[in-house]
Each structure stands twice: as structure tokens, then as C-alpha cells.
């Protein structure tokens, strides 16, 4: 592989009989070792690499060479700053929309004022955090000792790329990456009342069973309201732009340009109209009507799903103090249908006019259908003929009518759906906002790691056609190995981590060509849906498949498997409760199995045929399920099987414990040596020696040093006795356990 020759190395002689390394070298110029690592793209993401070089014997008494590298990532701070900026923008917009709800009855107006007071305080808090983070210029690492600092809450703990490159005499050179990071959790907020999984469930149960002062909307309906509002904000300016382009084509008297502009306008307007067909909008309009002065119904309207009407028993209790109220008949429910249908009718008029203009100009065929696939027959005949030079003048009033109709729809829909969001916030302030803050913190830590892992995976597999096809056809599996116990505070950490990783399903990636030397990713979207734009230099971008270059969104499938291994897990298994871990593992196995099913269905048959010859994934999945259901104590076989499946599916691997320092170090070094034994024929007599070598002299002891300024893993004797086999560090490398 050439690492030792290419870089300056300090040779460390060690005692083989003492189970240290036969040879370990510390590379003082790691950036020059591999040509791939010289890419500006990767160097802009990874910082401060630590590199170790090893030589171990194979089973046939030849030598394999291993290069171990550990690097920080500037994304540790970049992603949180991007995300907090988005949160501030989203919350300011929401607060403004709540202010613009119009006149409300005294009850609802007081609720609105209370909500806005708390929401403004939260925005100020986010702005203060962003200001503090912006002072951390050039930072790429948050140590484990800083996990409880308020100003660094959004930053992942101890995020690193752990990489092993193997050059063996018989096999092709191989590279293995694991992202190591502290479990995404809100340490400053604390775990006295549990973590997100428990807190969200409790909050939603209490909110569902409370009818006083507000109208209950399910989390699905609230998410739907946010989605429709987002679609409105995106589509309205697009439609206005395409309408102006249509007028511009008319002024140029260009039939082809006119038809193309109309096609784009029709497509966007159809999406716009479709967004308001959901039953939620109708029920929200009725709910808002009840909140206007003098417009309150005898019962608060129960929000209905998009597929079925709610039954009477689903309606919340009658609100107190509001007995003298008018009847349903005071509200015209059909008015909304007329308002949003006018948008479609206005578009049909434009289509009819364009068809007539092109036909009279000698065009051989019409411009296409409308939002319902057919035109109203009377529209074309009803439009009077005009001179050829008046195309612009004939279309202008129709475009103006479309914009007016659209503006009326937007105004009503925005207000009604914002009223839905007000209900979510109105209950249990400030608890609702504190839950949002906690979820944002945990998600920020999880997303920073994910973006780092995605970029590194993309760089290492950029010229692998099978991987690129899988990326845009199926998406990527992202497997998290958790080592948290189900005891004391770590229960709350695991509950936070489970929700944070699950929330990554809301993330999609989009690869774009970098237009400058700035290749740091950009995040767009909102809390329910984020898009991470990854910038690639032109040469790398051109090597991508057409689908990816055209901006197709690339999806990820996060899964978490957790096995507690320390002495606290021993207590949990004997005297406590391990149901949380069992539930998480079972749920995520089902997600992994679903991904495998999609993978087998969507990938081309010739690829699947070759893939199945090389990998018996079905057997591995069955074995994993058996181990999950066996309820064996500290069953680390679950971790090994999940990691193996992830690697065979070209996935992204993560290993996490509380601080990604001690238990994580034991796990990644064991994984590395197991790979050397199983995949690269490491001599069986050297397995323990190689393991101790990596733990004593390798990158992970350097990780401990940079976190706590001491070259000692934070384990005490009680912890060591509780660890499974092969998870114990060598003599002399451990000391007092930290907190």
C-alpha cells in the first residue's frame, strides 16, 4: 500500500510477549499517504487527522499492512449553525402568520398573545445560541467534557471518522469506515423525566385527552398542515413567475414559447389546486370560523382525516364558558369549494385562450390539457376574437384573474392552517416549546453525523456504478450501533437517541455542482422535511448518473440497534427493565427488513443475481432476528450481525455510546480486528495482540487524550468485570471512570 514509505514514520518497538504490537508506526504526514485523501472536497470536511500504521501476520505467515486514521469534521459546527438559522426563519414566519390570523374572539385572542410571547422568547434563545456558535470559527470538535454546555447543545459530541485501510498479500485493498459520535441527546436539559420517546408519548396522550381551551389535532394532521403551508409558500411564487413568463411569450408572439410556458403554468397550478383537496383544510376553515367574534359553534369542530369523516365520539368536549353560540347553519361550507375551484376555472380560461390564439395563428395542434384532463366546452366559444397583435392584451386580464383567485385561496388556507398550528402550541406552554427545543437539539446532533457520513460514503464510492445506482434507485441504509445501558440517565439518552435517529427519515440529499471553492453543504426545508445540498467539484459531479445530476432527491433509511454492555446494564437486566432496548431493536429490525425488501425489488435483476452470489443476506437477517428475539443478556452478536448487513448493503456505519470515547473505542477496535480475522486472514494467534495494539497505541487512545487530557480509558474494575468478552482494554490503559 506504500504508507510507510510515503510518510515520515516514528517506529515504536514493542514487546510481542507482552501482547503489544510487533510494529506500529505513527504517520506524521497523513495527508500525503493516499491520493484520494488529497481531494479538496474531502479535506474541506475532515480536519486534524491522526494516523497509525500497523503490520500484522496473516494465516499463511505473510504480512498485511493496515492504516488506521481518525479525523474530526468541521460539519460538527457547520450543520448546527445551518439548522438553527433555518429554525429561526421558520419560527419567525410562523409567528408572523399567527399575528396575521385576523380578529379572534377574546378567548382565542388571549391564547394567541400567550403563544406569541413564548414563541418570541424561543426565537430569541435560538438567536443567542447561533450568535455563540458563530464565535466558534474554525472549530471542528466538541469534547466529551463539554457535553453539558448550553451554548454547545446543538453540536454533536466527539464526532470523528474512524477509517481502516487494509493492504493484504492475497486480497484486494479494502477500506472500512465507521462514524463515531456521542449518542444524540439533550444533556443540558437533563434526563430526570426521561427522554424524547417517553416525553412525546406522555405529552400527546395528555393533549388528546384534554378538550379545554383548544381543539385537538393529531400529530399527523399538524404535520399535514405544515406540509400544505410549505407547499403554498413554494408554489404561489412559482405560479406567479410562470404566469409572467406566459405573458412575456405572448408579447413576443412566439407559439412554441407560449405552449411551453403554459405547460409549466398548468403543472404548477394543478399541484396548487391539489394541495387544497385535503379534508383538513375544510375542517380548519370551520374551526377558524368558530374562533371569530360571534362565529362560535355549539361544539368545536373535530379535525377530519383526508380519507374519512370523524365520528361523533372523536369530537373533543364542549369548551367551557361558551354556551350562547350560533348553529352550524351560520357557516357556508360550500364557499371554500367555490373559492379554490375558481383557480382551476381561471386556468381553463387561460388554456382555452392560448389554444384559440395559436389555432388562429395557424398552429396545427392545441397546447394540452388542463388540471382535470379536459376543458369546459363553453370556454373557447365564449372568448371573443381579437387581432393577432393583441396576444398580451388578451391574456393579461385572464392572468390577473388567476392571480386574484389564487391570492384569495392562499389567504384563507394560510389563516386556517395557521390556526391548526396555534392549537398545537396553545396546549401546555411552555412544555410544548421545550419539547420542540429538545427535539431540535437531538436532531441537530444526529444530522451533523449523518451529513458527515453521507459525504464520506459518497467520496469513497463515487466511481462504483452499483453504489450510485443503489443511491438513486433505493437510497442508503444508515445503521447506528448503540452501546447505552437501559439504566438511570442512559435510559433518557437512549430515548432521545431513538427519536433523533428516527427523525432522520425526514432528510433527503441532493447533489449539486459546486460553483466555487466553497463545498460545504447547505440545508433547506423545514422541521418536517429537510433537503441537504451536497456540493461536488465539476470533475466529480460529471461522473454521476443523469438522475442524480438532474437533482433527484436521495433518501436514507436510518436504523438503530442498541446493546448495553457496562455494569449499569447488568443492573438493568437483573433488577430493572430492558423493554426499551428490546422494543427499539425489534422496531428497527422491521425497518431494516423493509429496506432489504425494497432493495431486492428495485435493483436490476443482473445486479441482484451477482449480489446474492456474494452475500447471503437473507440468512444474516434471519440470524439477526433470532438473536433479537432470544433476549440473551448483553448479546453483542446483534451488533456484529447488524454491522455486517450494513456493510454488505453499502450502508453508512455509526457507533455511539454516551461520549463516543471509551465503550465506542472498545467496539470499533474489536470490529476492526474481527474484519482483519474474517475478511483478511489475520493469523489466529495475533487476534488478541492486534486488538490490544490498536487499543494501546492506536487512534482511539489518542481520542481519549484529546477528550480528557489523559491516556486512560475511563473504566473501573467493576465495569471491566461486567464487559462481554473482547470489550476489555489491555492492562495499564484504564483508570477511574468519568461521568
Amino acid at each position: 500500500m506504500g504508507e510507510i514509505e510515503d510518510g515520515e514514520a516514528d517506529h515504536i518497538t514493542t514487546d510481542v510477549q507482552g501482547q503489544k504490537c510487533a510494529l506500529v508506526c505513527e504517520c506524521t504526514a497523513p495527508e500525503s499517504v493516499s491520493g484520494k485523501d488529497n481531494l479538496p472536497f474531502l479535506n474541506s470536511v475532515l480536519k486534524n487527522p491522526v494516523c497509525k500504521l500497523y503490520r500484522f501476520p496473516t494465516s499463511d505467515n505473510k504480512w498485511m499492512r493496515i492504516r488506521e486514521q481518525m479525523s474530526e469534521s468541521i460539519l460538527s459546527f457547520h450543520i448546527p449553525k445551518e439548522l438553527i438559522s433555518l429554525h429561526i426563519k421558520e419560527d419567525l414566519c410562523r409567528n408572523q402568520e399567527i399575528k396575521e390570523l385576523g380578529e379572534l374572539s377574546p378567548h382565542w385572542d388571549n391564547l394567541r398573545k400567550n403563544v406569541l410571547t413564548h414563541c418570541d422568547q424561543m426565537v430569541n434563545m435560538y438567536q443567542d445560541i447561533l450568535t455563540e456558535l458563530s464565535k466558534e470559527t474554525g472549530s471542528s470538535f466538541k469534547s466529551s467534557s463539554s457535553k453539558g454546555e448550553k451554548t454547545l447543545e446543538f453540536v454533536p459530541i466527539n464526532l470523528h471518522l474512524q477509517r481502516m485501510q487494509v493492504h493484504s498479500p492475497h486480497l484486494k485493498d479494502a477500506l472500512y469506515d465507521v462514524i463515531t459520535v456521542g449518542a444524540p441527546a439533550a444533556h443540558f436539559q437533563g434526563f430526570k423525566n426521561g427522554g424524547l420517546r417517553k416525553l412525546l408519548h406522555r405529552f400527546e396522550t395528555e393533549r388528546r385527552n384534554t378538550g379545554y381551551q383548544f381543539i385537538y389535532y393529531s400529530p399527523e394532521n399538524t404535520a399535514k398542515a405544515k406540509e400544505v403551508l410549505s407547499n403554498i409558500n413554494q408554489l404561489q411564487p412559482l405560479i406567479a413567475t410562470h404566469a409572467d413568463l406566459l405573458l412575456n411569450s405572448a408579447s413576443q408572439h412566439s407559439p412554441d414559447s407560449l405552449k411551453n410556458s403554459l405547460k409549466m403554468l398548468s403543472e404548477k397550478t394543478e399541484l396548487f389546486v391539489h394541495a387544497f383537496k385535503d379534508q383538513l383544510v375544510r375542517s380548519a376553515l370551520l374551526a377558524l370560523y368558530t374562533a371569530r367574534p360571534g362565529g362560535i359553534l355549539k361544539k368545536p369542530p373535530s379535525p377530519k382525516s383526508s380519507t374519512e369523516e370523524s365520528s361523533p365520539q372523536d369530537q373533543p368536549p364542549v369548551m367551557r364558558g361558551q354556551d350562547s353560540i350560533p348553529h352550524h347553519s351560520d357557516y357556508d361550507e360550500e364557499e371554500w369549494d367555490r373559492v379554490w375551484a375558481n383557480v382551476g376555472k381561471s386556468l381553463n380560461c387561460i388554456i382555452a385562450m392560448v389554444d384559440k390564439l395559436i389555432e388562429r395563428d395557424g398552429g396545427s395542434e392545441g397546447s394540452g390539457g388542463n388540471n382535470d384532463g379536459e376543458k369546459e366546452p363553453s370556454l373557447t366559444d365564449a372568448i371573443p376574437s381579437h387581432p393577432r397583435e393583441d396576444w398580451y392584451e388578451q391574456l393579461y386580464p385572464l392572468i390577473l384573474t388567476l392571480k386574484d383567485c389564487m391570492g384569495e385561496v392562499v389567504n384563507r388556507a394560510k389563516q386556517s392552517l395557521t390556526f391548526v398550528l396555534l392549537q398545537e402550541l396553545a396546549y401546555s406552554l411552555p412544555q410544548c416549546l421545550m419539547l420542540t427545543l429538545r427535539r431540535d437539539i437531538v436532531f441537530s446532533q444526529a444530522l451533523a453525523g449523518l451529513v458527515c457520513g453521507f459525504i464520506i460514503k459518497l467520496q469513497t464510492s463515487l466511481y462504483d456504478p452499483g453504489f450510485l445506482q443503489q443511491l438513486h434507485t433505493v437510497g442508503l441504509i444508515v445503521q447506528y450501533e448503540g452501546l447505552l445501558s437501559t439504566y438511570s440517565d442512559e435510559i433518557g439518552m437512549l430515548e432521545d437517541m431513538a427519536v433523533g435517529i428516527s427523525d432522520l427519515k425526514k432528510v433527503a440529499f441532493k447533489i449539486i455542482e459546486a460553483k466555487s471553492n466553497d463545498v460545504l453543504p447547505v440545508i433547506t426545508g423545514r422541521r418536517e422535511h429537510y433537503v441537504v445540498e451536497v456540493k461536488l467539484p465539476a470533475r466529480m459531479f460529471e461522473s454521476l448518473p443523469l438522475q442524480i445530476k438532474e437533482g433527484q432527491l436521495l433518501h436514507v433509511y436510518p436504523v438503530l440497534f442498541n446493546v448495553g454492555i457496562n455494569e449499569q446494564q447488568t443492573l438493568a437486566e437483573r433488577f430493572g427493565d430492558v423493554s426499551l432496548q428490546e422494543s427499539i431493536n425489534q422496531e428497527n429490525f422491521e425497518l431494516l427488513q423493509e429496506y432489504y425488501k425494497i432493495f431486492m425489488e428495485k435493483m436490476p435483476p443482473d445486479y441482484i443475481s451477482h449480489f446474492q452470489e456474494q452475500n447471503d443476506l437473507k440468512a444474516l437477517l434471519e440470524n439477526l432476528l433470532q438473536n433479537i428475539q432470544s433476549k440473551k443478556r448483553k448479546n453483542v452478536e446483534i451488533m456484529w450481525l447488524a454491522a455486517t448487513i450494513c456493510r454488505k448493503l453499502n450502508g453508512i456505519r455509526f457507533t455511539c455510546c454516551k461520549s463516543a470515547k471509551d465503550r465506542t473505542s472498545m467496539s470499533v477496535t474489536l470490529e476492526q480486528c474481527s474484519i482483519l480475522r474474517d475478511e483478511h486472514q489475520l493469523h489466529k494467534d495475533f487476534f488478541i495482540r492486534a486488538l490490544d495494539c490498536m487499543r494501546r497505541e492506536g487512534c482511539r487512545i489518542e481520542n481519549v487524550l484529546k477528550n480528557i487530557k489523559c491516556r486512560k480509558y475511563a473504566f473501573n474494575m467493576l465495569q471491566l468485570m461486567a464487559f462481554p468478552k473482547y470489550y476489555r482494554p489491555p492492562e495499564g490503559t484504564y483508570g477511574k471512570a468519568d461521568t
Side-chain angles (χ1 to χ4, degrees):
M1 194 165 57
E3 285 82 359
I4 295 177
E5 291 80 2
D6 292 344
E8 298 177 13
D10 301 320
H11 291 260
I12 303 172
T13 57
T14 55
D15 182 7
V16 177
Q17 291 182 347
Q19 290 197 344
K20 295 182 181 180
C21 305
L23 174 65
V24 61
C25 308
E26 183 170 359
C27 186
T28 58
E31 70 278 359
S32 67
V33 169
S34 172
K36 288 184 179 181
D37 289 348
N38 280 324
L39 290 171
F41 169 63
L42 201 55
N43 288 341
S44 67
V45 174
L46 300 179
K47 299 292 181 184
N48 302 327
V50 175
C51 185
K52 304 285 184 173
L53 306 178
Y54 310 91
R55 189 174 67 167
F56 297 131
T58 61
S59 56
D60 58 358
N61 293 318
K62 294 186 178 179
W63 291 97
M64 70 171 77
R65 287 177 286 176
I66 297 95
R67 176 175 180 259
E68 183 188 31
Q69 179 178 320
M70 180 185 70
S71 302
E72 300 169 7
S73 175
I74 199 169
L75 299 178
S76 290
F77 283 79
H78 173 74
I79 295 300
K81 287 188 282 188
E82 284 273 309
L83 207 51
I84 295 171
S85 297
L86 267 186
H87 293 331
I88 293 172
K89 181 180 177 182
E90 179 182 348
D91 291 349
L92 285 173
C93 180
R94 178 203 59 202
N95 293 357
Q96 186 61 32
E97 289 171 347
I98 291 175
K99 291 175 185 176
E100 295 173 354
L101 269 175
E103 189 178 3
L104 299 175
S105 65
H107 165 76
W108 292 110
D109 195 45
N110 288 333
L111 276 179
R112 171 169 60 179
K113 290 175 181 177
N114 190 31
V115 164
L116 285 172
T117 298
H118 284 89
C119 287
D120 288 340
Q121 291 173 354
M122 290 297 293
V123 169
N124 291 335
M125 182 191 300
Y126 278 60
Q127 289 173 332
D128 291 343
I129 293 172
L130 182 59
T131 299
E132 291 301 314
L133 282 181
S134 298
K135 296 176 183 177
E136 303 280 347
T137 54
S139 298
S140 56
F141 169 68
K142 171 184 169 183
S143 70
S144 63
S145 57
S146 302
K147 58 177 170 282
E149 291 188 18
K150 179 174 177 55
T151 57
L152 299 178
E153 281 184 293
F154 285 79
V155 180
I157 302 166
N158 196 15
L159 174 64
H160 285 84
L161 164 67
Q162 177 78 19
R163 168 170 287 183
M164 180 177 72
Q165 290 177 284
V166 184
H167 175 76
S168 56
H170 303 298
L171 302 172
K172 183 180 178 181
D173 289 4
L175 183 147
Y176 303 91
D177 286 341
V178 179
I179 305 298
T180 62
V181 63
H187 290 274
F188 180 81
Q189 309 290 322
F191 308 98
K192 181 179 179 181
N193 298 312
L196 278 171
R197 188 172 166 116
K198 179 187 292 182
L199 293 171
L200 288 170
H201 176 74
R202 182 189 303 156
F203 175 80
E204 195 56 42
T205 301
E206 292 174 355
R207 198 165 74 93
R208 185 185 300 113
N209 296 329
T210 304
Y212 178 57
Q213 288 195 332
F214 78 102
I215 303 166
Y216 174 74
Y217 287 91
S218 69
E220 293 76 19
N221 274 327
T222 303
K224 183 68 177 179
K226 294 176 182 177
E227 180 185 350
V228 175
L229 280 170
S230 177
N231 290 339
I232 291 172
N233 292 331
Q234 290 176 11
L235 289 171
Q236 187 183 16
L238 280 175
I239 292 171
T241 299
H242 288 304
D244 292 339
L245 289 173
L246 183 70
L247 289 176
N248 185 56
S249 299
S251 65
Q252 295 175 359
H253 209 89
S254 169
D256 289 340
S257 177
L258 194 67
K259 285 191 283 187
N260 290 334
S261 297
L262 179 62
K263 182 176 182 293
M264 296 302 297
L265 176 64
S266 299
E267 289 175 356
K268 299 303 178 185
T269 307
E270 288 167 16
L271 290 174
F272 180 85
V273 172
H274 181 73
F276 300 109
K277 289 186 177 180
D278 196 281
Q279 181 64 36
L280 174 64
V281 181
R282 187 188 301 274
S283 66
L285 282 162
L286 179 57
L288 180 57
Y289 175 81
T290 72
R292 301 294 190 198
I296 305 172
L297 304 178
K298 288 188 176 180
K299 286 187 178 181
S302 176
K304 301 167 185 177
S305 70
S306 58
T307 56
E308 61 181 2
E309 302 288 319
S310 297
S311 59
Q313 60 266 30
D314 292 332
Q315 296 179 341
V318 178
M319 294 166 59
R320 303 176 191 175
Q322 297 179 356
D323 298 325
S324 55
I325 45 182
H327 190 261
H328 273 91
S329 59
D330 292 350
Y331 176 68
D332 183 2
E333 296 189 39
E334 294 181 359
E335 183 184 7
W336 168 246
D337 293 333
R338 293 192 294 270
V339 170
W340 72 261
N342 283 340
V343 176
K345 291 178 180 178
S346 298
L347 176 64
N348 288 344
C349 287
I350 294 170
I351 292 173
M353 175 59 79
V354 170
D355 281 348
K356 191 171 187 69
L357 292 173
I358 293 177
E359 181 182 356
R360 293 179 63 240
D361 195 60
S364 58
E365 59 183 5
S367 60
N370 58 26
N371 59 317
D372 293 319
E374 58 184 18
K375 291 202 296 272
E376 297 179 18
S378 61
L379 288 175
T380 306
D381 299 334
I383 299 172
S385 300
H386 291 274
R388 168 177 170 172
E389 60 270 14
D390 290 337
W391 279 20
Y392 180 92
E393 286 79 1
Q394 293 173 61
L395 282 172
Y396 179 76
L398 301 179
I399 292 294
L400 200 61
T401 301
L402 174 65
K403 289 183 177 180
D404 288 343
C405 293
M406 191 169 61
E408 178 69 13
V409 169
V410 167
N411 182 56
R412 295 189 184 210
K414 267 192 173 183
Q415 287 192 345
S416 64
L417 294 172
T418 299
F419 188 70
V420 173
L421 303 189
L422 178 63
Q423 309 310 308
E424 180 187 44
L425 295 166
Y427 173 72
S428 191
L429 283 169
Q431 183 188 2
C432 174
L433 292 175
M434 294 308 295
L435 273 177
T436 300
L437 171 64
R438 188 183 192 105
R439 198 165 189 171
D440 287 347
I441 288 168
V442 174
F443 179 76
S444 174
Q445 296 177 26
L447 182 62
L450 173 64
V451 176
C452 178
F454 182 89
I455 289 176
I456 290 166
K457 184 66 179 178
L458 180 63
Q459 188 270 336
T460 56
S461 305
L462 192 63
Y463 302 104
D464 179 350
F467 167 81
L468 294 175
Q469 186 169 26
Q470 177 184 348
L471 180 61
H472 71 78
T473 303
V474 185
L476 287 187
I477 197 77
V478 183
Q479 183 252 328
Y480 290 80
E481 172 183 319
L483 299 166
L484 295 172
S485 69
T486 53
Y487 188 83
S488 190
D489 281 356
E490 290 198 9
I491 296 178
M493 294 177 205
L494 182 55
E495 289 172 341
D496 274 356
M497 184 183 184
V499 173
I501 290 172
S502 177
D503 281 349
L504 293 175
K505 289 183 286 190
K506 304 172 184 176
V507 179
F509 288 84
K510 182 179 179 180
I511 302 176
I512 61 175
E513 183 178 351
K515 302 300 182 182
S516 67
N517 291 330
D518 179 12
V519 293
L520 288 177
V522 175
I523 306 176
T524 60
R526 54 188 171 81
R527 281 185 177 88
E528 299 300 322
H529 177 67
Y530 295 98
V531 175
V532 180
E533 295 183 351
V534 176
K535 304 174 188 176
L536 283 186
R539 180 177 59 83
M540 299 172 70
F541 184 78
E542 285 304 314
S543 67
L544 295 172
L546 182 62
Q547 296 91 331
I548 297 178
K549 288 195 287 186
E550 289 181 343
Q552 179 177 324
L553 294 182
L554 312 171
H555 298 281
V556 292
Y557 296 79
V559 292
L560 164 65
F561 294 95
N562 188 86
V563 176
I565 63 171
N566 64 1
E567 84 289 357
Q568 289 188 326
Q569 186 63 22
T570 303
L571 294 173
E573 289 172 340
R574 292 183 179 178
F575 309 111
D577 183 8
V578 295
S579 60
L580 173 63
Q581 176 174 286
E582 292 173 352
S583 298
I584 288 173
N585 289 345
Q586 181 62 42
E587 291 165 11
N588 283 272
F589 172 80
E590 292 168 8
L591 294 174
L592 178 59
Q593 193 173 43
E594 180 63 24
Y595 175 84
Y596 174 69
K597 180 181 178 182
I598 297 171
F599 177 87
M600 298 299 287
E601 288 175 354
K602 290 191 174 183
M603 291 298 284
D606 55 340
Y607 180 90
I608 291 296
S609 176
H610 175 73
F611 181 84
Q612 288 178 315
E613 289 177 6
Q614 304 294 320
N615 308 283
D616 189 4
L617 272 180
K618 187 176 180 181
L620 286 171
L621 284 165
E622 290 173 353
N623 196 359
L624 176 59
L625 178 61
Q626 290 172 2
N627 277 275
I628 289 172
Q629 294 178 339
S630 70
K631 299 185 179 182
K632 176 183 173 183
R633 290 180 178 178
K634 297 184 182 178
N635 190 357
V636 293
E637 186 72 11
I638 291 173
M639 316 309 301
W640 178 246
L641 287 166
T644 302
I645 292 168
C646 175
R647 284 195 299 271
K648 290 182 179 296
L649 285 171
N650 294 316
I652 305 171
R653 280 269 299 115
F654 283 78
T655 297
C656 312
C657 63
K658 182 170 67 175
S659 300
K661 176 171 58 69
D662 304 304
R663 281 171 280 178
T664 294
S665 294
M666 298 302 103
S667 180
V668 296
T669 49
L670 176 57
E671 180 177 355
Q672 288 177 172
C673 289
S674 297
I675 289 171
L676 295 178
R677 177 194 63 196
D678 299 340
E679 306 291 338
H680 297 278
Q681 301 176 12
L682 173 67
H683 196 290
K684 62 179 182 179
D685 293 338
F686 256 78
F687 178 78
I688 297 297
R689 298 181 185 182
L691 188 59
D692 284 356
C693 176
M694 287 185 175
R695 291 172 175 174
R696 187 188 301 275
E697 308 287 357
C699 291
R700 297 314 301 186
I701 198 69
E702 302 294 339
N703 182 273
V704 173
L705 178 64
K706 71 193 296 185
N707 274 280
I708 60 173
K709 313 302 179 188
C710 173
R711 295 177 67 89
K712 296 278 187 181
Y713 297 107
F715 299 132
N716 57 35
M717 287 306 298
L718 181 61
Q719 288 175 309
L720 295 178
M721 292 171 62
F723 279 160
K725 188 178 181 182
Y726 301 133
Y727 279 84
R728 299 163 191 166
E731 290 290 336
T733 64
Y734 53 86
K736 181 181 178 181
D738 73 338
T739 57

